[in-house]
Amino acid sequence: MMGFFLAVLAAFLFISPSWSAAASDQDNPIEIGHVSWSRDYQGALQASRHSGKPVFLFFQEVPGCLGCRTFGSQVLTHPLLVEAVEDEFIPVLVYNNRRTGMDAQLLNQYGEPSWNYQVIRFVDANERDLIPRRDRVWDIGSLAARMVAALKAADRSVPLYLSSLAVEYDTSHLQTAVFGMYCFWTGEYELGSIAGVVATEAGFYRGREVTLVTYHNDQLALKVLIGEAEDRQCARTVYLNDHSTAVQSRLKIKQFEPNEYQPAPASDQKKQLQQWLMDHRNLSLTMMQLTKLNSFLAGDPEAMLQWLSPRQLAQLGSR
């Protein structure tokens, strides 16, 4: 069942505007992504001491194996991740396959093996690890979560766009529920604003309008989500993969059959946001940002803007 829903989510993600170029170095070798890296380790420590920002110490093999190239091309090119690395940290690149100079010195100092997969250490100005070293961090969600943890350990504020990215890509905690209602436009608008909801999609189930809700089950319990839908009077029925789940509700709880669901046309998705998206068609947004903006645009524009990163806000202001 989760495979079906993740496929739906992937399809939904690609109807959003394509990622635009980040304000970074896109002529980098593929292994190191689009981040503008420093090679001045001592200068980075000094900058960290002055600003309080942690050092993002990236040990990477260049030229590298398939895994190294995949990490660079699929993780370190995500615009929001690149923005967070460059703006919230002091990024430093260390080649783990060079045996001279600064690279050899730092490999020895931090006990990092040569010719290894990528490893990222988060250190303070005194060269101390802010969070324990971890190997095999290979995806956007895991890296974003460690960046959040490092900022907290450094007593730095965590921008909402970064913490949201960690939640959105934490696929091991994403669950779904399908709400039957009189209007799926209302469903997306109402349910998308709930804390812990990652995405909504307008759709049809057995010919009736429904809203498919994806939520992070570590931040939002199913019974709370159903209770919110009940309180907002925007749903009559909730369809679950396991309809025997023990949830007390005035809503009807029924079994969900994936083959009887289909997404609504693009013209019915994020209805509150459609004109705004036309006016800002070059702005790249994640599915969680699309969901939140759709919910807050009409009633609370200031709350809507908090879901955007500083670079996205600057892009809005440059129109």
Side-chain angles (χ1 to χ4, degrees):
M1 175 63 69
M2 275 306 294
F4 165 78
F5 283 123
L6 291 177
V8 170
L9 284 179
F12 173 75
L13 180 59
F14 283 104
I15 70 170
S16 63
S18 60
W19 290 119
S20 60
S24 55
D25 189 348
Q26 297 199 32
D27 294 325
N28 285 344
I30 190 173
E31 295 87 351
I32 63 175
H34 291 168
V35 175
S36 294
W37 298 100
S38 170
R39 293 274 293 147
D40 181 1
Y41 176 68
Q42 292 301 324
L45 294 178
Q46 184 175 355
S48 175
R49 189 169 292 108
H50 176 74
S51 66
K53 295 180 180 179
V55 176
F56 187 108
L57 198 55
F58 182 37
F59 295 88
Q60 178 64 304
E61 178 184 279
V62 181
C65 64
L66 176 60
C68 297
R69 296 196 300 273
T70 300
F71 183 80
S73 63
Q74 296 187 10
V75 177
L76 290 180
T77 55
H78 192 296
L80 294 181
L81 203 61
V82 170
E83 179 174 351
V85 172
E86 293 181 345
D87 293 355
E88 304 298 329
F89 298 84
I90 311 295
V92 176
L93 172 65
V94 181
Y95 295 106
N96 68 18
N97 55 347
R98 296 186 183 180
R99 300 180 180 179
T100 59
M102 179 197 77
D103 302 293
Q105 174 190 334
L106 291 177
L107 285 171
N108 180 65
Q109 177 179 335
Y110 285 96
E112 289 293 339
S114 300
W115 301 94
N116 189 31
Y117 287 113
Q118 66 278 339
V119 172
I120 296 167
R121 306 279 284 263
F122 300 94
V123 302
D124 63 16
N126 296 313
E127 304 178 275
R128 295 177 299 203
D129 284 304
L130 289 165
I131 57 176
R133 177 192 184 278
R134 182 179 164 193
D135 209 346
R136 299 178 181 272
V137 178
W138 290 344
D139 60 84
I140 291 171
S142 298
L143 178 54
R146 285 184 60 78
M147 291 166 68
V148 168
L151 289 173
K152 289 180 178 178
D155 200 25
R156 303 279 297 178
S157 61
V158 178
L160 181 59
Y161 75 88
L162 178 59
S163 59
S164 299
L165 197 65
V167 168
E168 181 174 344
Y169 281 85
D170 184 12
T171 56
S172 64
H173 284 283
L174 296 186
Q175 299 292 329
T176 53
V178 178
F179 291 87
M181 55 193 56
Y182 60 90
C183 175
F184 47 40
W185 296 346
T186 300
E188 284 206 280
Y189 173 75
E190 290 286 351
L191 301 178
S193 66
I194 299 170
V197 168
V198 171
T200 60
E201 179 180 77
F204 294 97
Y205 184 65
R206 295 174 177 169
R208 296 180 179 273
E209 294 189 20
V210 296
T211 300
L212 185 154
V213 174
T214 301
Y215 64 99
H216 191 283
N217 66 4
D218 199 37
Q219 297 194 352
L220 177 63
L222 176 61
K223 64 179 181 180
V224 175
L225 173 59
I226 292 175
E228 286 282 352
E230 185 178 311
D231 291 344
R232 296 171 189 229
Q233 300 181 342
C234 64
R236 299 167 179 167
T237 307
V238 56
Y239 300 94
L240 303 175
N241 180 38
D242 181 5
H243 74 286
S244 64
T245 302
V247 177
Q248 296 294 324
S249 174
R250 292 192 298 272
L251 301 183
K252 297 177 182 178
I253 298 178
K254 296 185 177 182
Q255 179 71 34
F256 181 72
E257 301 295 341
N259 61 347
E260 298 191 54
Y261 170 82
Q262 65 179 32
S267 58
D268 280 321
Q269 302 294 340
K270 304 293 176 289
K271 199 66 175 182
Q272 310 292 331
L273 198 60
Q274 285 187 3
Q275 184 57 54
W276 190 91
L277 287 175
M278 289 294 294
D279 294 339
H280 304 90
R281 64 188 67 192
N282 293 325
L283 185 66
S284 300
L285 298 165
T286 70
M287 62 181 177
M288 189 168 184
Q289 287 180 319
L290 282 167
T291 296
K292 299 304 182 183
L293 268 58
N294 182 70
S295 289
F296 289 113
L297 174 63
D300 194 347
E302 288 189 11
M304 180 195 82
L305 294 178
Q306 72 177 343
W307 292 92
L308 300 178
S309 75
R311 293 185 187 180
Q312 289 173 320
L313 290 171
Q315 192 174 348
L316 288 183
S318 66
R319 286 187 66 251

